[in-house]
Amino acid sequence: MESVFYSPTRIIFGEESLKRVGEEARKFGERALIVTGKSSSKKSGSLDEVVNSLTSHNLQVEIFNKVEPDPSIGIVEEGAKFAKKCAADVVIGLGGGSPMDAAKGIALLMTNKGEITDYFGTDKVKEPALPIIAIPTTAGTGSEVTKYAVITDQKKMLKQIIGTPHINPKLAILDPLLTLSMPASLIANTGVDALSHAIEGYVSTQANPVGDILALKSIVLIAEALPGAISQPDNLKIREKMLFASMLAGMVINSAGAGIIHGMGYFITLHYGAPHGLANALLMPEVMEFNLEGNPLKFRNIAEAMGKKVEGLSEKEAAHLSVVAMRELLGKIGIPRGMKEIGVKEESLADFAKTVSKNKRLLTLNPRRPTTEEIEEIYRRSM
Ligand SMILES: [Fe+2]
């Protein structure tokens, strides 16, 4: 069967690579718009560093710093208006997944007519977006190398996905120094998000041999590094491993897509405010348990990548160890044992399951196709 691997983003990786941003942005024009969150890039000094590098290469710089976590339709529209007013040539997303995704939406609206809602879905975008430079300050989203932007639709209470190669960043600058200022909970939640990308992409029905290599490497790195990332937040070698692993996982989902961990997790974020990675973490063991019979060999490989001994075991036994390894890792990094602990109520689960089951694309990517009842059951088991 044919398979596709697609990864068009140029990547500059390494300590102090942030210094390259001015020189690189200048290749795209004279006016740069930085899209970032409300305060953390300012506080950490990374925003100033980007501005300095840009101005020293004679770029005119404007800053849109209103992006909230889980960016809304409104914030993307507001950012696009601002970008048009300053006639930006290049959009720089600086921060976690939220500013990078907002930057993608803004860059898209600079070259495509209409509203951001017109582009929800897969391959709806006609024209290439303005060039995007993505600079992650967390190690998790992988958005710096993906064709996806996730925008929150508060009216419909849905996370809407824009999926188009036209918003794949032209350049990703990955400087591990930028990820040093993260609090422990952010390291845990974003790290688990990256792990969920590697796993969902690896077992996806659209997985491909190139992505599989990257996924397994990513799983090995995260399983090894994540506990230490939290206990030694200033260890630059560990930060570098996590940033690298999260980028690899982003490359994996760029071609293979994600599955129902993401599809189900979105509702825990929308209705209970759980950060994206935490929502995924709470669902991951039970989704894996459900999915493993859809592709036992791959779950066996995940168990091995997470450090379990699988020789001499049947494929089924070995596959099950991936769930054991996941529970152990989540326990080590302080993820709550179930959704009850973060306030999720039983009575909301049936509605969530119904809405998830309408997402045909996502269900097709999942290695085992669940019924609405099975989705609800996975939610319940994750309580
Ligand atoms: Fe994610």
Side-chain angles (χ1 to χ4, degrees):
M1 209 170 69
E2 66 160 46
S3 64
V4 177
F5 180 74
Y6 179 74
S7 189
T9 304
R10 190 163 154 252
I11 296 160
I12 303 180
F13 193 100
E15 256 174 75
E16 309 225 346
S17 54
L18 185 62
K19 291 199 165 78
R20 293 282 296 278
V21 64
E23 169 193 346
E24 294 294 331
R26 191 69 183 80
K27 295 175 185 168
F28 298 115
E30 293 168 359
R31 286 174 298 275
L33 172 67
I34 303 171
V35 176
T36 190
K38 286 182 177 150
S39 62
S40 65
S41 65
K42 178 88 198 148
K43 249 194 261 164
S44 70
S46 60
L47 179 59
D48 286 343
E49 248 187 273
V50 172
V51 172
N52 291 340
S53 173
L54 293 169
T55 48
S56 73
H57 285 82
N58 300 318
L59 278 122
Q60 212 175 299
V61 183
E62 301 285 348
I63 300 168
F64 182 72
N65 63 350
K66 295 185 180 174
V67 183
E68 73 270 35
D70 306 305
S72 63
I73 292 171
I75 210 72
V76 173
E77 293 284 351
E78 190 184 333
K81 239 184 237 163
F82 182 72
K84 282 175 193 161
K85 209 173 80 191
C86 49
D89 299 314
V90 51
V91 179
I92 300 172
L94 172 69
S98 300
M100 287 191 279
D101 285 5
K104 290 172 176 178
I106 292 167
L108 177 172
L109 288 177
M110 289 293 282
T111 55
N112 289 270
K113 289 198 183 93
E115 293 167 13
I116 197 70
T117 51
D118 300 334
Y119 300 104
F120 290 163
T122 307
D123 292 330
K124 299 262 175 73
V125 179
K126 300 253 164 13
E127 300 296 328
L130 222 56
I132 299 160
I133 299 178
I135 309 176
T137 60
T138 63
T141 157
S143 181
E144 68 274 12
V145 292
T146 75
K147 61 178 181 186
Y148 303 113
V150 185
I151 310 292
T152 297
D153 186 337
Q154 277 148 338
K155 250 192 229 150
K156 292 189 181 160
M157 279 305 260
L158 287 174
K159 290 263 206 169
Q160 304 276 15
I161 315 283
I162 301 171
T164 164
H166 290 317
I167 58 170
N168 237 122
K170 288 269 180 280
L171 173 68
I173 298 180
L174 292 111
D175 186 339
L177 288 168
L178 299 182
T179 67
L180 281 175
S181 52
M182 287 199 280
S185 62
L186 189 62
I187 297 173
N189 295 342
T190 53
V192 175
D193 185 28
L195 185 56
S196 72
H197 297 157
I199 290 178
E200 291 214 284
Y202 181 60
V203 301
S204 158
T205 54
Q206 269 179 26
N208 59 80
V210 181
D212 287 358
I213 294 169
L214 305 183
L216 284 176
K217 182 69 188 176
S218 179
I219 295 167
V220 167
L221 286 172
I222 296 170
E224 270 173 19
L226 190 51
I230 292 157
S231 58
Q232 310 162 51
D234 294 327
N235 184 323
L236 194 59
K237 278 281 151 267
I238 298 180
R239 309 255 31 96
E240 192 176 293
K241 253 192 196 178
M242 287 302 300
L243 187 60
F244 185 67
S246 116
M247 177 200 75
L248 295 180
M251 290 165 83
V252 173
I253 52 166
N254 203 36
S255 300
I260 60 170
I261 296 172
H262 275 75
M264 293 174 70
Y266 286 152
F267 293 92
I268 307 304
T269 299
L270 283 163
H271 292 263
Y272 293 100
H276 170 63
L278 174 61
N280 287 359
L282 291 166
L283 291 159
M284 200 136 52
E286 289 299 337
V287 173
M288 289 168 71
E289 185 81 62
F290 175 81
N291 276 347
L292 52 86
E293 69 183 63
N295 199 334
L297 173 63
K298 281 201 160 174
F299 280 95
R300 171 207 174 272
N301 295 344
I302 292 170
E304 197 173 27
M306 294 186 78
K308 290 289 176 198
K309 296 245 175 306
V310 295
E311 294 96 76
L313 299 178
S314 72
E315 198 167 76
K316 207 173 160 194
E317 285 168 335
H320 181 71
L321 282 184
S322 66
V323 184
V324 175
M326 182 58 70
R327 287 194 196 283
E328 286 169 3
L329 179 65
L330 297 179
K332 258 190 226 164
I333 63 170
I335 299 289
R337 282 176 159 261
M339 299 196 299
K340 237 184 232 158
E341 282 185 41
I342 63 157
V344 176
K345 300 266 181 294
E346 289 269 352
E347 50 268 31
S348 49
L349 302 179
D351 278 349
F352 294 171
K354 254 184 233 151
T355 322
V356 173
S357 67
K358 284 184 197 143
N359 192 335
K360 297 286 175 266
R361 186 182 165 268
L362 203 134
L363 296 190
T364 315
L365 293 173
N366 204 61
R368 184 181 164 202
R369 201 163 175 143
T371 62
T372 309
E373 292 69 36
E374 283 167 336
I375 296 172
E376 191 180 332
E377 183 59 25
I378 296 170
Y379 270 130
R380 284 193 199 291
R381 287 172 183 269
S382 305
M383 287 294 279

